[in-house]
Amino acid sequence: MAAAPQQQAAEEYVRVVARVRPLSVKEEGGDEHVALRCMEDGCSVEMLEGKDEKQAGRRFTFSRCLGPEVSQPEVFEESGIKDLLRSALKGYSATVFGYGQTGSGKTFTIVGDAAFRDAKTSGGAGLMRRSTDYLFGKMGKIENVAYSVECSYVEVYNEQVRDLLAGTKGKESMRAVRWDVQKGFFVSGLTTIQCNNSHDVGKVFRKGFSRTRVGTHDMNDRSNRSHCMLTLHIRGRQTNGTTREGKMTFVDLAGSERVKDSGSKGKMLRESGQINRSLFTLGKVISTLVDRKKKNNFVPYRDSKLTQLLMDSVGGKSLCLVVACLSPSSKHVFESNRTLQFAVRACKVKNQPVLLLNQQEKLIQELKKEVEKLRAQNRDLLDRLREIDIPETRHQSRGMGLPPSSAAAAGVTSSSLNVSPKRGQLHSEGDRKKGERKGE
């Protein structure tokens, strides 16, 4: 299949939104207190404490800063994700992911509470459910475009990519990550399921979500042990035959962990090492992209399965929204500061969104119309030949005997032809003169 033509849009910086969760009941009951806050301007975070005087009082500025009082519906409205969703419907690729330490609220922000329900969206629903409701609502209002949506769901666990929609729980199908010049990195043999509405997406999500790796430690009762990616593949076919293939990916990253805080042991300790290693690689990729001194250096996308799959999202051809999730607790000042440093660097990453237009179907339709038109002209020409009683084989072999309209179009006129009534043959003027010279 021929590569789809591409239309390149203007450069876009990665959009970063900071979200500060409230103190947990456990934190409030202990000796912990608020160590960072959102400023009144709605765009800045201030560190109230730090490991030294320079860190304390420092402010970080982003596209938006959402405090503990901001509800889930308000996060959806103020984060800017609607711009990404509209772009996906137009044929662009877009990604949203939450970043932060374990227990900072990433899964709650992206997925929401445990009730990703069939019923009407609950107050605790996250960006994923609200986005699917918004997308299908928009599709029904756009004229002259027929949309279809397919859903895929994978996790990266201990540097292995698992298809959460194939196999059974605990025995999910392993998938290889391959490279293609046109596609970039992609998951080979990925299962996709047709979804006709938000309810269908919810069913697919619950099926995959029930198979994700989770664990419990001192910092989080339900800690993700893998990075999960749910992708909506959106195909919009216009009435003129053009097909646009957009994509919206929701990434629920596992959180970074400090072993002395999480108390991880055995299997969970090994999982923590893999999680921290992949997140470190993601930070290294971003640092390389934004560091001018390292501009010509190799960007280490290949060093991790996570960064391979996020290559288009970070410094590539997609639009991207990062939600930096923060704990306000004084106990987690170190990790909160690291998250803020990561978010500041991510703000400086430039992406080059590309619109993919699949015009193969349009070309096929145009060629079919042209063939039918030529067939109609050929039938008309044969009818005219029969009317003047000229054998078809003769005009085909000699290129003569065309009907008046076709002869005129070909530059053949009665003055340049000599008809011999006796022999019933057609001669050109040049043949007639040649015969006269031979007779002399």
Side-chain angles (χ1 to χ4, degrees):
M1 180 177 176
Q6 301 180 349
Q7 289 186 0
Q8 193 164 297
E11 285 185 333
E12 292 261 354
Y13 284 98
V14 171
R15 180 181 176 89
V16 179
V17 174
R19 189 183 191 189
V20 181
R21 68 163 174 82
L23 288 172
S24 67
V25 175
K26 182 179 179 180
E27 291 167 343
E28 288 180 337
D31 59 353
E32 301 174 42
H33 55 274
V34 173
L36 60 85
R37 64 176 180 177
C38 288
M39 303 301 293
E40 294 181 357
D41 62 4
C43 296
S44 302
V45 178
E46 181 182 22
M47 295 288 295
L48 300 177
E49 296 182 11
K51 62 181 181 181
D52 52 41
E53 295 181 357
K54 291 182 179 180
Q55 194 176 96
R58 185 177 178 183
R59 295 185 180 183
F60 301 83
T61 302
F62 307 104
S63 299
R64 289 290 292 162
C65 179
L66 308 173
E69 74 286 351
V70 178
S71 65
Q72 294 282 71
E74 290 172 326
V75 171
F76 178 72
E77 294 294 332
E78 298 181 30
S79 63
I81 194 171
K82 285 185 177 181
D83 293 335
L84 273 66
L85 298 172
R86 287 190 287 264
S87 296
L89 289 175
K90 294 177 182 177
Y92 289 95
S93 176
T95 302
V96 57
F97 67 86
Y99 183 91
Q101 73 176 113
T102 184
S104 60
K106 299 181 302 300
T107 299
F108 182 73
T109 298
I110 301 298
V111 176
D113 57 18
F116 194 115
R117 298 186 178 93
D118 299 340
K120 188 175 181 180
T121 303
S122 66
L127 292 176
M128 187 185 296
R129 175 59 188 264
R130 296 180 189 279
S131 295
T132 56
D133 288 344
Y134 181 84
L135 278 172
F136 282 99
K138 276 288 185 183
M139 289 177 195
K141 297 177 182 178
I142 298 176
E143 299 179 352
N144 301 322
V145 182
Y147 284 102
S148 62
V149 177
E150 292 184 343
C151 188
S152 62
Y153 202 0
V154 299
E155 72 170 355
V156 180
Y157 175 72
N158 287 345
E159 283 302 295
Q160 294 178 328
V161 177
R162 300 169 182 252
D163 189 339
L164 294 174
L165 302 181
T168 58
K169 186 173 182 178
K171 295 182 179 179
E172 292 80 15
S173 299
M174 301 292 186
R175 295 289 185 255
V177 178
R178 304 191 184 281
W179 168 262
D180 179 81
V181 175
Q182 296 296 329
K183 297 179 181 179
F185 287 107
F186 70 99
V187 181
S188 178
L190 188 61
T191 302
T192 59
I193 297 177
Q194 182 78 28
C195 297
N196 298 319
N197 48 50
S198 185
H199 168 77
D200 291 346
V201 178
K203 289 172 61 178
V204 171
F205 165 77
R206 286 190 296 276
K207 178 180 178 180
F209 191 67
S210 66
R211 300 177 174 184
T212 57
R213 268 62 173 180
V214 296
T216 301
H217 52 64
D218 294 346
M219 294 180 66
N220 196 347
D221 292 337
R222 193 186 187 284
S223 173
N224 285 345
R225 314 313 295 163
S226 62
H227 309 296
C228 302
M229 303 180 184
L230 183 139
T231 302
L232 301 179
H233 306 268
I234 306 168
R235 171 172 290 190
R237 184 168 184 175
Q238 299 176 321
T239 52
N240 63 3
T242 302
T243 300
R244 297 185 178 184
E245 299 179 353
K247 185 171 66 173
M248 184 70 215
T249 302
F250 302 89
V251 184
D252 185 17
L253 293 178
S256 58
E257 297 178 8
R258 300 181 73 185
V259 176
K260 70 175 184 178
D261 293 332
S262 66
S264 298
K265 298 178 181 179
K267 178 182 177 182
M268 290 192 68
L269 180 60
R270 292 190 295 273
E271 292 171 343
S272 296
Q274 292 288 352
I275 291 169
N276 289 337
R277 189 175 296 112
S278 61
L279 293 175
F280 172 78
T281 304
L282 177 59
K284 188 176 178 182
V285 164
I286 289 178
S287 296
T288 305
L289 289 170
V290 301
D291 192 337
R292 294 182 178 180
K293 294 180 181 179
K294 298 179 180 179
K295 190 172 182 180
N296 296 324
N297 283 7
F298 173 74
V299 182
Y301 288 111
R302 292 182 178 271
D303 290 359
S304 162
K305 290 293 190 298
L306 175 64
T307 49
Q308 288 177 13
L309 297 181
L310 289 180
M311 181 176 180
D312 257 358
S313 306
V314 181
K317 301 175 183 178
S318 297
L319 296 159
C320 186
L321 167 65
V322 177
V323 183
C325 297
L326 302 158
S327 166
S329 173
S330 55
K331 183 179 179 179
H332 304 309
V333 167
F334 177 79
E335 284 295 329
S336 295
N337 184 65
R338 287 182 59 180
T339 299
L340 289 168
Q341 296 286 355
F342 173 92
V344 167
R345 291 192 296 272
C347 288
K348 301 175 183 179
V349 174
K350 289 182 180 180
N351 286 358
Q352 188 74 64
V354 170
L355 177 67
L356 295 178
L357 298 175
N358 189 343
Q359 293 184 321
Q360 186 175 23
E361 295 176 0
K362 179 182 177 182
L363 178 60
I364 290 173
Q365 293 299 321
E366 290 177 347
L367 290 174
K368 285 182 177 179
K369 291 179 180 178
E370 184 68 21
V371 168
E372 187 58 38
K373 181 180 178 181
L374 292 173
R375 284 176 176 171
Q377 292 177 347
N378 188 47
R379 286 193 296 268
D380 181 64
L381 180 59
L382 292 175
D383 290 341
R384 289 172 178 264
L385 289 172
R386 293 189 185 100
E387 289 176 2
I388 61 175
D389 196 26
I390 296 179
E392 296 175 17
T393 55
R394 184 165 295 158
H395 94 81
Q396 290 173 354
S397 62
R398 299 192 56 171
M400 297 298 182
L402 299 174
S405 59
S406 299
V412 182
T413 63
S414 59
S415 61
S416 63
L417 296 173
N418 179 34
V419 180
S420 175
K422 293 182 180 180
R423 298 184 180 180
Q425 295 178 342
L426 211 58
H427 299 281
S428 67
E429 184 67 20
D431 290 340
R432 184 180 63 81
K433 291 181 178 180
K434 184 177 179 180
E436 292 178 350
R437 287 196 295 271
K438 287 184 178 180
E440 294 176 355

